Amino acid sequence: MGPEPAEPNPRPVLPRSTIILLALACATVVAFGLAALRGIFTPVFFAFVLTLCVHPLRRWMQGHGVPRGLATGSTIAAVFALLAGFAAVLVASLAQFSALLPQYGPQLAQLGASITQLLESVGFGPEQTQAVLQGFTPGRIIGFLGGVLGNITSIVASLVIILTMLILMAVDGSRVPALLTHLNYHRPALVDAFNGFGGGVRRYMIATTVLGVAQGLFNWLVLVILQVPGALLWGLLSFICSFIPNIGYFIAIVPPLFFGFLTGGWPTVLAVIVIYGGINSIIQSIIQPKYVGNAVALSETITFVSVLFWAVILGPVGAILAVPLTLLARTILLDSDPTIAWWRPLTGDKKDLEVILKQEDDAIRARRARRGSGTPGPGSKPKA
């Protein structure tokens, strides 16, 4: 007797096209909802990421016999110290920028006049060129920067939410190991998914922070040597932009080029591009994607698209938190459901593809070796 015929796959309740459209509709609703609640969601998620990063410190302290309350208080104090130090450097740098910009008012006016003349020569009308000229004033530039960062009320509100959530999450986090142990009896796949998410976020933050600190210090030193004003601020900006994959470098290099042109002209601009831009492009385009991509198992394409997507949904902070947000989405949608976890390689995880990739590489090397030795490959015919 021959083999029994395989049972046909069960027909889905809804057509595949309908399921895809419903999924896209739900994703659109969620995206608009997050955009509407960005003032709450963004600081809460930022506090959540910080809590994940300091959780190993509390676990290490409790493993050495430190009481639960003291370990929790120590982690809260450590995060507060980091935030306070970063805020102090940021405030000092912004104060330096606000005091520095008015000193270059005449140069800004001259640069604006040159640009308006160029625009008029290519056919722009007087209204458009006048609008461009009015933008090259210290007040307009500071106002634009304030619009990007947000007003004082929103910043203070975000800080209050972050600090409050850090305290509450740190207290609740002391019970997370027991909670995961309890859930492991009922939903082991979900527990594995969230453990993987926490480890991936910590690896990403450590790798990016180390590279960002090195990048910021290097940029600060180079700009001090080139005598570009505001070197401390631009070094801090490059550190922040290091958390924006692929395009952070292009954002961080604009202010040094601008002030380098005002102070030293085109020679300083070329020096910044060659020295500052060359090293940073290597770090952000080669080193950072390699190590950060390995840490979070995300493809470079998805990482870049996630930066654009979350920046549109949550604003500039969304670009900084793009990778942790994408990891959370993958954890909820793919990793928590073993039946669809086979989609994970499409997001950049190469673990299940290592054997196939190795076979392809071996085949390529074999063909190259045959071509170099002149040995005919299989299927080739000898020449007459």
Side-chain angles (χ1 to χ4, degrees), residues 45 49 53 196-212 240-246 288-289 291-298 303 306-307 318-325 327:
F45 186 78
V49 171
C53 292
F197 166 73
V201 170
R202 281 190 287 268
R203 289 192 299 270
Y204 167 75
M205 295 300 292
I206 291 173
T208 306
T209 301
V210 171
L211 290 175
I240 296 174
C241 290
S242 66
F243 289 88
I244 306 177
N246 303 116
Q288 184 169 343
Y291 289 97
V292 174
N294 292 337
V296 299
L298 285 176
T303 301
S306 68
V307 171
I320 297 175
L321 297 175
V323 171
L325 285 166
L327 290 178

Side-chain angles (χ1 to χ4, degrees), residues 16-309:
R16 187 179 301 275
S17 59
T18 304
I19 296 176
I20 293 175
L21 291 175
L22 287 176
L24 292 175
C26 292
T28 303
V29 172
V30 172
F32 275 96
L34 291 177
L37 297 175
R38 69 168 65 179
I40 299 176
F41 176 79
T42 303
V44 168
F45 186 78
F46 183 67
F48 175 62
V49 171
L50 292 178
T51 304
L52 278 179
C53 292
V54 300
H55 179 70
L57 174 62
R58 175 176 50 208
R59 186 171 54 193
W60 178 84
M61 295 178 68
Q62 291 183 201
H64 285 73
V66 178
R68 187 189 303 268
L70 181 59
T72 301
S74 299
T75 56
I76 295 174
V79 176
F80 278 20
L82 290 175
L83 288 177
F86 179 77
V89 175
L90 180 61
V91 170
S93 301
L94 291 177
Q96 180 188 13
F97 176 74
S98 300
L100 178 68
L101 195 58
Q103 302 177 11
Y104 294 92
Q107 291 91 331
L108 288 173
Q110 182 179 1
L111 178 61
S114 300
I115 294 177
T116 54
Q117 291 178 1
L118 177 62
L119 294 177
E120 289 177 353
S121 64
V122 297
F124 282 87
E127 295 181 357
Q128 291 84 356
T129 56
Q130 187 64 25
V132 172
L133 182 60
Q134 292 176 356
F136 282 87
T137 60
R140 283 293 185 91
I141 296 177
I142 294 177
F144 172 76
L145 181 63
V148 173
L149 297 176
N151 54 41
I152 298 298
T153 303
S154 64
I155 294 176
V156 172
S158 298
L159 288 176
V160 170
I161 294 175
I162 291 173
L163 296 178
T164 304
M165 291 304 300
L166 280 174
I167 297 175
L168 299 178
M169 288 182 179
V171 173
D172 293 337
S174 62
R175 298 187 292 271
V176 167
L179 177 62
L180 293 178
T181 302
H182 169 73
L183 290 177
N184 195 46
Y185 290 105
H186 305 280
R187 296 289 187 272
L190 183 63
V191 173
D192 292 340
F194 278 106
N195 282 332
F197 166 73
V201 170
R202 281 190 287 268
R203 289 192 299 270
Y204 167 75
M205 295 300 292
I206 291 173
T208 306
T209 301
V210 171
L211 290 175
V213 169
Q215 186 175 342
L217 291 175
F218 174 80
N219 293 338
W220 170 74
L221 179 61
V222 168
L223 295 177
V224 168
I225 295 175
L226 295 177
Q227 298 182 352
V228 176
L232 177 62
L233 177 59
W234 314 138
L236 179 63
L237 178 64
S238 65
F239 167 73
I240 296 174
C241 290
S242 66
F243 289 88
I244 306 177
N246 303 116
I247 61 175
Y249 152 71
F250 297 101
I251 299 174
I253 198 175
V254 172
L257 289 178
F258 181 74
F259 279 91
F261 177 78
L262 293 180
T263 55
W266 289 111
T268 303
V269 170
L270 293 177
V272 170
I273 292 176
V274 173
I275 303 175
Y276 182 103
I279 299 298
N280 283 270
S281 62
I282 293 175
I283 292 176
Q284 286 215 347
S285 300
I286 300 176
I287 299 177
Q288 184 169 343
K290 177 178 176 58
Y291 289 97
V292 174
N294 292 337
V296 299
L298 285 176
S299 67
E300 295 184 13
T301 302
I302 289 181
T303 301
F304 178 70
V305 173
S306 68
V307 171
L308 303 179
F309 176 79

